[in-house]
Amino acid sequence: MRMRGGRRLPDDRDTGTTPGGGGGPASGGTAARGGTASTSGDGPTAAGRGSPRTGPLASPGIRGAAALLAGALPALAFPAPGLWWFAYLALVPWLLLIRTARSPRRAALDGWLGGIGFVVAVHHWLMPSLHVFIVLLAALLGLLWAPWGLLVARLLGGAPNATRAVAAVLVVPSGWLMIELVRSWEGLGGPWGLLGASQWEVGPALRVASVGGVWLVSLLVVAVNTGAALLIADRAARTAAGVLLGVCGLSVAAVAAWAPRPQGAGTVRIAVVQPGVVEGPGSVARRLDRGEELTRTLAGRDVDLVVWGESSIGAGAWQHPETVRRLAELSRRVGADLLVNVDARQTDGSGRSGIFKSAVLVGPGGPTGDRYDKMRLVPFGEYVPARSLLGWATSVGKAAGEDRLRGDRQVVMALPDGARGLRIGPLVCFETAFPDMSRRLVRDGAQVIVAQSATSTFQESWAPAQHASLGALRAAENGRPMVHATLTGISAAYGPRGERVGRPLGTEASAAEVFDLPLARGETLYGRFGDWPVYGALAAIAVLCAVEGVRAFRKPAPGPP
């Protein structure tokens, strides 16, 4: 700019300035040359400057639909599709979409809409039970991804340099893990669909789970997605992204080679009784008859324990004295205790009366006194949260007409000396989704984790396969074998490294199956240190917030116009 006679005269350098007087190259802003825009290495000033302003994604409707679809893609990595390898790329379209957001508001909206798509896709099998309520649930849970959208836009938007690329690979996965942590609260549906759970049949990933639980596997999966997005998004960050992806691979290799492995300690024979689908009038009594018939076939097979599925004995049957006599006779005939599951009105040790779901151990003389009452109940399926406000859900779906009562403690049961004093830790239904519960049982001395479940309501959906797959994660995390017994499938067993043992019983089977489970001793790193990846993720986000706060504090005030 040249001054002549008190007037401003344009000069060639003026072509680089932006409106407002603060955006020229000399001030480190954005230079508009030849119709293109570039952002400085410090990050975008408007959550993704440089995004396309034309094309299909310029339409809010099309962009919103793209966000919904992008958020739904990770569901394909879970059973039943089981495309586990897709988990390492499934988030890339969503990340790239958020990166091009033209404002923080748009980035948060892309995160929210993608979160809705994720929740609906991963839980779509709940639609027959919840109907329209699942849309409201997804909209509420999807809000957890709105701050994550802001985080992604801040770290991936514009032209990220090497420093921002490193921060992105550390902090974007940490933000995702915070979402998984919050929605793991039972009142929000529990930890179903944690991204790391998609890797349940991948040996190296199970080794990672033994070190940091499913949380560490989730961090790894999102970190790889973030690195892949950086490789695609910006040429300047490709070298850093490639190095970071290499570090992820080397870390997994190191864990697979050096992490402590469970040591063998003999075997145990556990039988699972799966009666199959029994419907119509008198189904409770006919299911009990079928369970008894299948159990009798186990006589002479030298089993140490027989496990029945969740709600294998209904209210009417349990209250009839003849039922206890029949179960005791079965125990004597087979030569092993039976772990049955009762869904009936009972009184617990503290004197509370109501409907409990209970794992009950029955021996040759009848119930042994060992009983575990389910502690974490399925929202709407076993109780209605805030029933005074949401009780209308019972009229539009299959929500519980009466709330079940919760148990107040976990229980480790000791089998008789004939079963070598085996100690088992029972879980009921979706309690297998909570990593802390199986870890608590193992720390209390359980040698085998035993889960009793019933997914007959969702028989033709992805739910049975997803539920059964959780056993592999829990076994690998704790270095202990696990049995997953159901009424209608899928029943399965896993060794202490998360490896599948024997032949699973599918949803079409009505049978009894015996599993020779390898026992193990020793302690995994996850068993010893617990959820340390969660605390690491919190620390990473805290550091980012501190850096951003210091940067904002040091930013000079704007000068006079």
Side-chain angles (χ1 to χ4, degrees):
M1 179 69 67
R2 292 173 294 160
M3 304 296 294
R4 181 177 295 172
R7 292 181 303 155
R8 295 173 75 252
L9 296 181
D11 132 333
D12 292 340
R13 288 170 294 179
D14 276 325
T15 59
T17 60
T18 57
S27 63
T30 302
R33 298 180 184 271
T36 61
S38 62
T39 307
S40 68
D42 291 335
T45 57
R49 181 181 293 174
S51 61
R53 298 177 184 272
T54 59
L57 293 182
S59 166
I62 294 178
R63 186 181 182 93
L68 284 168
L69 178 60
L73 289 177
L76 297 175
F78 295 94
L83 305 178
W84 64 264
W85 52 268
F86 185 59
Y88 295 95
L89 299 172
L91 295 179
V92 172
W94 194 3
L95 293 169
L96 295 178
L97 179 70
I98 296 174
R99 177 182 179 272
T100 64
R102 293 165 58 178
S103 69
R105 180 179 179 181
R106 182 71 244 186
L109 183 60
D110 289 341
W112 178 48
L113 292 174
I116 293 175
F118 180 88
V119 173
V120 171
V122 172
H123 301 84
H124 73 275
W125 42 269
L126 285 172
M127 289 182 182
S129 297
L130 297 183
H131 296 286
V132 68
F133 198 78
I134 194 174
V135 178
L136 176 60
L137 179 66
L140 293 174
L141 289 178
L143 291 172
L144 295 173
W145 278 270
W148 186 72
L150 294 172
L151 186 66
V152 170
R154 175 67 185 91
L155 293 173
L156 296 184
N161 57 19
T163 301
R164 223 163 18 109
V166 173
V169 172
L170 291 175
V171 181
V172 169
S174 298
W176 182 278
L177 198 62
M178 293 302 99
I179 297 170
E180 294 197 335
L181 179 65
V182 172
R183 70 184 186 89
S184 292
W185 179 46
E186 176 196 342
L188 293 179
W192 195 280
L194 302 184
L195 202 55
S198 65
Q199 306 302 295
W200 67 279
E201 55 185 342
V202 182
L206 292 174
R207 296 285 291 140
V208 172
S210 74
V211 173
V214 68
W215 313 112
L216 188 58
V217 183
S218 286
L219 281 175
L220 172 67
V221 171
V222 183
V224 172
N225 275 274
T226 306
L230 285 168
L231 285 174
I232 298 171
D234 194 88
R235 183 176 302 173
R238 286 178 183 171
T239 300
V243 171
L244 290 168
L245 288 174
V247 169
C248 289
L250 290 174
S251 300
V252 172
V255 167
W258 293 312
R261 297 177 183 269
Q263 301 174 354
T267 60
V268 64
R269 304 200 84 194
I270 295 181
V272 168
V273 172
Q274 179 177 300
V277 177
V278 180
E279 297 177 327
S283 59
V284 173
R286 288 188 290 116
R287 183 184 299 117
L288 177 59
D289 292 342
R290 181 57 177 161
E292 183 179 8
E293 178 185 354
L294 292 172
T295 303
R296 289 181 181 278
T297 66
L298 298 171
R301 301 189 63 179
D302 195 28
V303 297
D304 298 303
L305 176 69
V306 179
V307 184
W308 288 18
E310 178 188 12
S311 302
S312 49
I313 300 178
W318 187 244
Q319 293 164 358
H320 199 290
E322 177 66 13
T323 301
V324 172
R325 187 198 65 78
R326 291 168 63 183
L327 294 175
E329 192 276 330
L330 278 177
S331 175
R332 291 192 295 270
R333 184 183 184 92
V334 175
D337 282 10
L338 278 61
L339 185 69
V340 299
N341 193 274
V342 179
D343 187 1
R345 197 172 300 277
Q346 303 177 70
T347 301
D348 69 355
S350 61
R352 294 181 301 159
S353 293
I355 301 177
F356 289 90
K357 281 198 173 182
S358 307
V360 180
L361 194 64
V362 179
T368 64
D370 287 324
R371 167 180 156 186
Y372 166 66
D373 297 325
K374 185 178 181 182
M375 297 174 62
R376 296 183 182 172
L377 305 176
V378 179
F380 298 99
E382 294 169 338
Y383 79 104
V384 176
R387 183 177 285 272
S388 59
L389 296 176
L390 302 177
W392 56 268
T394 59
S395 63
V396 297
K398 299 178 181 178
E402 179 181 351
D403 292 347
R404 267 62 174 173
L405 298 185
R406 305 170 189 271
D408 55 9
R409 63 186 180 90
Q410 291 189 259
V411 175
V412 174
M413 302 176 179
L415 299 185
D417 291 339
R420 288 162 288 178
L422 185 72
R423 294 171 62 84
I424 62 171
L427 296 171
V428 182
C429 191
F430 93 140
E431 289 181 332
T432 60
F434 294 86
D436 65 300
M437 295 196 73
S438 54
R439 178 173 177 262
R440 178 75 267 169
L441 289 171
V442 172
R443 292 184 69 83
D444 287 344
Q447 296 168 278
V448 180
I449 305 168
V450 180
Q452 298 172 299
S453 177
T455 52
S456 52
T457 305
F458 315 105
Q459 190 72 358
E460 305 300 327
S461 71
W462 297 357
Q466 289 182 12
H467 200 177
S469 70
L470 296 175
L473 271 298
R474 303 293 87 87
E477 286 170 343
N478 298 285
R480 296 294 184 271
M482 179 165 179
V483 174
H484 181 80
T486 72
L487 289 180
T488 59
I490 298 173
S491 298
Y494 303 93
R497 299 181 183 180
E499 74 279 15
R500 182 175 284 169
V501 174
R503 178 179 64 92
L505 295 175
T507 54
E508 74 290 343
S510 175
E513 186 71 17
V514 177
F515 298 98
D516 291 308
L517 289 175
L519 297 176
R521 60 178 181 270
E523 192 175 26
T524 63
L525 292 179
Y526 175 72
R528 183 179 305 170
F529 299 112
D531 301 329
W532 64 266
V534 173
Y535 303 116
L538 282 169
I541 293 176
V543 169
L544 176 69
C545 292
V547 170
E548 292 292 324
V550 170
R551 179 176 294 173
F553 181 77
R554 290 183 176 178
K555 184 177 181 180

mmCIF file of all heavy atoms in Angstrom, residues 1-40:
data_model
loop_
_atom_site.group_PDB
_atom_site.id
_atom_site.type_symbol
_atom_site.label_atom_id
_atom_site.label_comp_id
_atom_site.label_asym_id
_atom_site.label_seq_id
_atom_site.Cartn_x
_atom_site.Cartn_y
_atom_site.Cartn_z
ATOM 1 N N MET A 1 0.851 -1.187 0.000
ATOM 2 C CA MET A 1 0.000 0.000 0.000
ATOM 3 C C MET A 1 0.888 1.238 0.000
ATOM 4 O O MET A 1 1.779 1.363 0.813
ATOM 5 C CB MET A 1 -0.906 -0.009 1.242
ATOM 6 C CG MET A 1 -1.813 1.171 1.361
ATOM 7 S SD MET A 1 -3.078 1.151 0.098
ATOM 8 C CE MET A 1 -3.995 -0.279 0.603
ATOM 9 N N ARG A 2 0.652 2.128 -0.951
ATOM 10 C CA ARG A 2 1.425 3.370 -1.002
ATOM 11 C C ARG A 2 0.527 4.529 -0.617
ATOM 12 O O ARG A 2 -0.668 4.524 -0.924
ATOM 13 C CB ARG A 2 1.955 3.606 -2.423
ATOM 14 C CG ARG A 2 3.020 2.596 -2.836
ATOM 15 C CD ARG A 2 3.390 2.754 -4.284
ATOM 16 N NE ARG A 2 2.257 2.409 -5.147
ATOM 17 C CZ ARG A 2 2.149 2.796 -6.413
ATOM 18 N NH1 ARG A 2 3.070 3.554 -6.958
ATOM 19 N NH2 ARG A 2 1.096 2.442 -7.144
ATOM 20 N N MET A 3 1.093 5.542 0.061
ATOM 21 C CA MET A 3 0.351 6.725 0.493
ATOM 22 C C MET A 3 0.785 7.907 -0.354
ATOM 23 O O MET A 3 1.973 8.158 -0.549
ATOM 24 C CB MET A 3 0.617 7.024 1.974
ATOM 25 C CG MET A 3 0.302 5.858 2.905
ATOM 26 S SD MET A 3 -1.440 5.428 2.917
ATOM 27 C CE MET A 3 -2.105 6.935 3.661
ATOM 28 N N ARG A 4 -0.183 8.639 -0.895
ATOM 29 C CA ARG A 4 0.157 9.830 -1.662
ATOM 30 C C ARG A 4 -0.919 10.874 -1.388
ATOM 31 O O ARG A 4 -2.094 10.630 -1.634
ATOM 32 C CB ARG A 4 0.177 9.526 -3.158
ATOM 33 C CG ARG A 4 0.564 10.754 -4.004
ATOM 34 C CD ARG A 4 0.645 10.389 -5.468
ATOM 35 N NE ARG A 4 1.726 9.441 -5.692
ATOM 36 C CZ ARG A 4 1.923 8.839 -6.860
ATOM 37 N NH1 ARG A 4 1.124 9.076 -7.887
ATOM 38 N NH2 ARG A 4 2.905 7.965 -6.999
ATOM 39 N N GLY A 5 -0.472 12.004 -0.847
ATOM 40 C CA GLY A 5 -1.417 13.084 -0.568
ATOM 41 C C GLY A 5 -2.494 12.685 0.405
ATOM 42 O O GLY A 5 -3.621 13.163 0.318
ATOM 43 N N GLY A 6 -2.136 11.798 1.366
ATOM 44 C CA GLY A 6 -3.102 11.374 2.377
ATOM 45 C C GLY A 6 -4.099 10.358 1.883
ATOM 46 O O GLY A 6 -5.001 9.982 2.602
ATOM 47 N N ARG A 7 -3.932 9.903 0.594
ATOM 48 C CA ARG A 7 -4.874 8.914 0.080
ATOM 49 C C ARG A 7 -4.216 7.547 -0.012
ATOM 50 O O ARG A 7 -3.037 7.437 -0.260
ATOM 51 C CB ARG A 7 -5.364 9.330 -1.312
ATOM 52 C CG ARG A 7 -6.242 10.587 -1.287
ATOM 53 C CD ARG A 7 -6.703 10.921 -2.699
ATOM 54 N NE ARG A 7 -5.539 11.107 -3.580
ATOM 55 C CZ ARG A 7 -5.585 10.932 -4.912
ATOM 56 N NH1 ARG A 7 -6.699 10.536 -5.474
ATOM 57 N NH2 ARG A 7 -4.494 11.128 -5.650
ATOM 58 N N ARG A 8 -5.053 6.455 0.149
ATOM 59 C CA ARG A 8 -4.557 5.097 -0.024
ATOM 60 C C ARG A 8 -4.625 4.750 -1.484
ATOM 61 O O ARG A 8 -5.658 4.878 -2.123
ATOM 62 C CB ARG A 8 -5.423 4.091 0.763
ATOM 63 C CG ARG A 8 -5.388 4.257 2.232
ATOM 64 C CD ARG A 8 -6.390 3.336 2.924
ATOM 65 N NE ARG A 8 -5.910 1.951 2.927
ATOM 66 C CZ ARG A 8 -6.443 1.010 2.181
ATOM 67 N NH1 ARG A 8 -7.431 1.257 1.363
ATOM 68 N NH2 ARG A 8 -5.982 -0.243 2.261
ATOM 69 N N LEU A 9 -3.505 4.286 -2.019
ATOM 70 C CA LEU A 9 -3.480 3.834 -3.395
ATOM 71 C C LEU A 9 -3.228 2.335 -3.422
ATOM 72 O O LEU A 9 -2.361 1.841 -2.710
ATOM 73 C CB LEU A 9 -2.372 4.547 -4.184
ATOM 74 C CG LEU A 9 -2.550 6.077 -4.328
ATOM 75 C CD1 LEU A 9 -1.403 6.650 -5.133
ATOM 76 C CD2 LEU A 9 -3.867 6.414 -5.016
ATOM 77 N N PRO A 10 -4.017 1.602 -4.194
ATOM 78 C CA PRO A 10 -3.792 0.151 -4.231
ATOM 79 C C PRO A 10 -2.466 -0.204 -4.827
ATOM 80 O O PRO A 10 -1.947 0.518 -5.654
ATOM 81 C CB PRO A 10 -4.967 -0.342 -5.099
ATOM 82 C CG PRO A 10 -5.346 0.832 -5.945
ATOM 83 C CD PRO A 10 -5.068 2.053 -5.131
ATOM 84 N N ASP A 11 -1.949 -1.305 -4.406
ATOM 85 C CA ASP A 11 -0.709 -1.784 -4.965
ATOM 86 C C ASP A 11 -0.799 -3.297 -5.090
ATOM 87 O O ASP A 11 -1.742 -3.898 -4.652
ATOM 88 C CB ASP A 11 0.359 -1.218 -4.054
ATOM 89 C CG ASP A 11 1.428 -1.994 -3.507
ATOM 90 O OD1 ASP A 11 1.319 -3.162 -3.318
ATOM 91 O OD2 ASP A 11 2.399 -1.326 -3.255
ATOM 92 N N ASP A 12 0.119 -3.913 -5.743
ATOM 93 C CA ASP A 12 0.017 -5.328 -6.067
ATOM 94 C C ASP A 12 -0.151 -6.199 -4.827
ATOM 95 O O ASP A 12 -0.754 -7.252 -4.891
ATOM 96 C CB ASP A 12 1.261 -5.793 -6.848
ATOM 97 C CG ASP A 12 1.294 -5.168 -8.227
ATOM 98 O OD1 ASP A 12 0.223 -4.724 -8.682
ATOM 99 O OD2 ASP A 12 2.380 -5.129 -8.826
ATOM 100 N N ARG A 13 0.387 -5.746 -3.695
ATOM 101 C CA ARG A 13 0.330 -6.585 -2.510
ATOM 102 C C ARG A 13 -1.061 -6.670 -1.910
ATOM 103 O O ARG A 13 -1.333 -7.509 -1.091
ATOM 104 C CB ARG A 13 1.311 -6.064 -1.450
ATOM 105 C CG ARG A 13 2.760 -6.330 -1.807
ATOM 106 C CD ARG A 13 3.700 -5.599 -0.892
ATOM 107 N NE ARG A 13 3.564 -4.141 -1.076
ATOM 108 C CZ ARG A 13 4.273 -3.256 -0.381
ATOM 109 N NH1 ARG A 13 5.119 -3.644 0.532
ATOM 110 N NH2 ARG A 13 4.113 -1.967 -0.599
ATOM 111 N N ASP A 14 -1.965 -5.772 -2.310
ATOM 112 C CA ASP A 14 -3.297 -5.795 -1.747
ATOM 113 C C ASP A 14 -4.123 -6.997 -2.180
ATOM 114 O O ASP A 14 -5.116 -7.310 -1.552
ATOM 115 C CB ASP A 14 -4.074 -4.528 -2.148
ATOM 116 C CG ASP A 14 -3.766 -3.370 -1.238
ATOM 117 O OD1 ASP A 14 -3.559 -3.605 -0.047
ATOM 118 O OD2 ASP A 14 -3.729 -2.254 -1.726
ATOM 119 N N THR A 15 -3.714 -7.676 -3.242
ATOM 120 C CA THR A 15 -4.513 -8.797 -3.740
ATOM 121 C C THR A 15 -4.525 -9.961 -2.774
ATOM 122 O O THR A 15 -5.323 -10.868 -2.911
ATOM 123 C CB THR A 15 -3.950 -9.288 -5.082
ATOM 124 O OG1 THR A 15 -2.600 -9.697 -4.881
ATOM 125 C CG2 THR A 15 -4.025 -8.192 -6.124
ATOM 126 N N GLY A 16 -3.652 -9.969 -1.791
ATOM 127 C CA GLY A 16 -3.609 -11.102 -0.860
ATOM 128 C C GLY A 16 -4.381 -10.895 0.412
ATOM 129 O O GLY A 16 -4.453 -11.785 1.229
ATOM 130 N N THR A 17 -4.969 -9.720 0.656
ATOM 131 C CA THR A 17 -5.632 -9.479 1.930
ATOM 132 C C THR A 17 -7.044 -9.990 1.920
ATOM 133 O O THR A 17 -7.673 -10.161 0.884
ATOM 134 C CB THR A 17 -5.644 -7.967 2.250
ATOM 135 O OG1 THR A 17 -6.346 -7.298 1.200
ATOM 136 C CG2 THR A 17 -4.240 -7.423 2.358
ATOM 137 N N THR A 18 -7.552 -10.254 3.107
ATOM 138 C CA THR A 18 -8.928 -10.708 3.263
ATOM 139 C C THR A 18 -9.737 -9.615 3.929
ATOM 140 O O THR A 18 -9.185 -8.757 4.619
ATOM 141 C CB THR A 18 -8.986 -11.967 4.134
ATOM 142 O OG1 THR A 18 -8.387 -11.674 5.386
ATOM 143 C CG2 THR A 18 -8.275 -13.113 3.473
ATOM 144 N N PRO A 19 -11.037 -9.617 3.760
ATOM 145 C CA PRO A 19 -11.866 -8.592 4.389
ATOM 146 C C PRO A 19 -11.661 -8.577 5.891
ATOM 147 O O PRO A 19 -11.570 -9.606 6.534
ATOM 148 C CB PRO A 19 -13.299 -9.024 4.028
ATOM 149 C CG PRO A 19 -13.149 -9.823 2.769
ATOM 150 C CD PRO A 19 -11.854 -10.521 2.899
ATOM 151 N N GLY A 20 -11.639 -7.392 6.433
ATOM 152 C CA GLY A 20 -11.447 -7.277 7.877
ATOM 153 C C GLY A 20 -10.040 -6.894 8.237
ATOM 154 O O GLY A 20 -9.748 -6.606 9.369
ATOM 155 N N GLY A 21 -9.126 -6.904 7.283
ATOM 156 C CA GLY A 21 -7.790 -6.411 7.535
ATOM 157 C C GLY A 21 -6.916 -7.334 8.317
ATOM 158 O O GLY A 21 -5.819 -6.956 8.690
ATOM 159 N N GLY A 22 -7.301 -8.594 8.618
ATOM 160 C CA GLY A 22 -6.453 -9.455 9.439
ATOM 161 C C GLY A 22 -6.011 -10.707 8.738
ATOM 162 O O GLY A 22 -5.440 -11.562 9.358
ATOM 163 N N GLY A 23 -6.272 -10.858 7.423
ATOM 164 C CA GLY A 23 -6.052 -12.157 6.828
ATOM 165 C C GLY A 23 -4.945 -12.215 5.828
ATOM 166 O O GLY A 23 -4.827 -13.198 5.108
ATOM 167 N N GLY A 24 -4.088 -11.231 5.645
ATOM 168 C CA GLY A 24 -3.040 -11.260 4.641
ATOM 169 C C GLY A 24 -1.934 -12.196 4.983
ATOM 170 O O GLY A 24 -1.788 -12.640 6.112
ATOM 171 N N PRO A 25 -1.095 -12.531 4.009
ATOM 172 C CA PRO A 25 0.006 -13.450 4.259
ATOM 173 C C PRO A 25 0.929 -12.975 5.339
ATOM 174 O O PRO A 25 1.471 -13.757 6.098
ATOM 175 C CB PRO A 25 0.685 -13.534 2.890
ATOM 176 C CG PRO A 25 -0.348 -13.116 1.898
ATOM 177 C CD PRO A 25 -1.204 -12.154 2.581
ATOM 178 N N ALA A 26 1.120 -11.684 5.434
ATOM 179 C CA ALA A 26 2.053 -11.185 6.431
ATOM 180 C C ALA A 26 1.581 -11.449 7.840
ATOM 181 O O ALA A 26 2.369 -11.529 8.771
ATOM 182 C CB ALA A 26 2.268 -9.677 6.237
ATOM 183 N N SER A 27 0.266 -11.562 7.988
ATOM 184 C CA SER A 27 -0.266 -11.802 9.324
ATOM 185 C C SER A 27 -0.521 -13.266 9.597
ATOM 186 O O SER A 27 -1.077 -13.624 10.613
ATOM 187 C CB SER A 27 -1.576 -11.025 9.513
ATOM 188 O OG SER A 27 -2.545 -11.501 8.610
ATOM 189 N N GLY A 28 -0.146 -14.146 8.650
ATOM 190 C CA GLY A 28 -0.315 -15.576 8.885
ATOM 191 C C GLY A 28 -1.716 -16.056 8.601
ATOM 192 O O GLY A 28 -2.074 -17.145 8.968
ATOM 193 N N GLY A 29 -2.581 -15.269 7.923
ATOM 194 C CA GLY A 29 -3.941 -15.687 7.640
ATOM 195 C C GLY A 29 -3.992 -16.506 6.376
ATOM 196 O O GLY A 29 -3.033 -17.113 5.941
ATOM 197 N N THR A 30 -5.157 -16.461 5.692
ATOM 198 C CA THR A 30 -5.384 -17.255 4.501
ATOM 199 C C THR A 30 -5.178 -16.404 3.282
ATOM 200 O O THR A 30 -5.710 -15.316 3.175
ATOM 201 C CB THR A 30 -6.821 -17.805 4.515
ATOM 202 O OG1 THR A 30 -6.977 -18.568 5.689
ATOM 203 C CG2 THR A 30 -7.089 -18.656 3.305
ATOM 204 N N ALA A 31 -4.426 -16.924 2.343
ATOM 205 C CA ALA A 31 -4.162 -16.205 1.104
ATOM 206 C C ALA A 31 -5.008 -16.792 0.009
ATOM 207 O O ALA A 31 -4.974 -17.971 -0.244
ATOM 208 C CB ALA A 31 -2.687 -16.301 0.739
ATOM 209 N N ALA A 32 -5.764 -15.926 -0.668
ATOM 210 C CA ALA A 32 -6.595 -16.377 -1.775
ATOM 211 C C ALA A 32 -5.868 -16.105 -3.069
ATOM 212 O O ALA A 32 -5.706 -14.973 -3.482
ATOM 213 C CB ALA A 32 -7.948 -15.647 -1.744
ATOM 214 N N ARG A 33 -5.386 -17.162 -3.702
ATOM 215 C CA ARG A 33 -4.656 -17.040 -4.952
ATOM 216 C C ARG A 33 -5.207 -18.067 -5.919
ATOM 217 O O ARG A 33 -5.207 -19.235 -5.637
ATOM 218 C CB ARG A 33 -3.157 -17.280 -4.752
ATOM 219 C CG ARG A 33 -2.499 -16.260 -3.811
ATOM 220 C CD ARG A 33 -1.009 -16.571 -3.660
ATOM 221 N NE ARG A 33 -0.396 -15.677 -2.698
ATOM 222 C CZ ARG A 33 0.132 -14.514 -3.018
ATOM 223 N NH1 ARG A 33 0.102 -14.103 -4.273
ATOM 224 N NH2 ARG A 33 0.695 -13.753 -2.107
ATOM 225 N N GLY A 34 -5.618 -17.575 -7.074
ATOM 226 C CA GLY A 34 -6.096 -18.491 -8.084
ATOM 227 C C GLY A 34 -7.333 -19.257 -7.673
ATOM 228 O O GLY A 34 -7.593 -20.335 -8.144
ATOM 229 N N GLY A 35 -8.121 -18.677 -6.750
ATOM 230 C CA GLY A 35 -9.372 -19.318 -6.359
ATOM 231 C C GLY A 35 -9.229 -20.425 -5.348
ATOM 232 O O GLY A 35 -10.187 -21.077 -5.016
ATOM 233 N N THR A 36 -8.045 -20.685 -4.811
ATOM 234 C CA THR A 36 -7.865 -21.728 -3.799
ATOM 235 C C THR A 36 -7.558 -21.098 -2.472
ATOM 236 O O THR A 36 -7.161 -19.938 -2.384
ATOM 237 C CB THR A 36 -6.721 -22.680 -4.185
ATOM 238 O OG1 THR A 36 -5.515 -21.926 -4.268
ATOM 239 C CG2 THR A 36 -6.995 -23.329 -5.523
ATOM 240 N N ALA A 37 -7.713 -21.878 -1.413
ATOM 241 C CA ALA A 37 -7.466 -21.369 -0.062
ATOM 242 C C ALA A 37 -6.607 -22.358 0.679
ATOM 243 O O ALA A 37 -6.748 -23.551 0.531
ATOM 244 C CB ALA A 37 -8.775 -21.150 0.695
ATOM 245 N N SER A 38 -5.726 -21.907 1.528
ATOM 246 C CA SER A 38 -4.917 -22.778 2.369
ATOM 247 C C SER A 38 -4.943 -22.252 3.773
ATOM 248 O O SER A 38 -5.035 -21.060 4.007
ATOM 249 C CB SER A 38 -3.462 -22.837 1.845
ATOM 250 O OG SER A 38 -2.886 -21.564 1.906
ATOM 251 N N THR A 39 -4.830 -23.161 4.714
ATOM 252 C CA THR A 39 -4.894 -22.800 6.121
ATOM 253 C C THR A 39 -3.545 -23.019 6.762
ATOM 254 O O THR A 39 -2.837 -23.945 6.434
ATOM 255 C CB THR A 39 -5.950 -23.680 6.832
ATOM 256 O OG1 THR A 39 -7.178 -23.583 6.105
ATOM 257 C CG2 THR A 39 -6.180 -23.240 8.244
ATOM 258 N N SER A 40 -3.202 -22.202 7.699
ATOM 259 C CA SER A 40 -1.909 -22.316 8.357
ATOM 260 C C SER A 40 -1.828 -23.586 9.148
ATOM 261 O O SER A 40 -2.807 -24.207 9.486
ATOM 262 C CB SER A 40 -1.703 -21.101 9.286
ATOM 263 O OG SER A 40 -2.602 -21.173 10.348
#
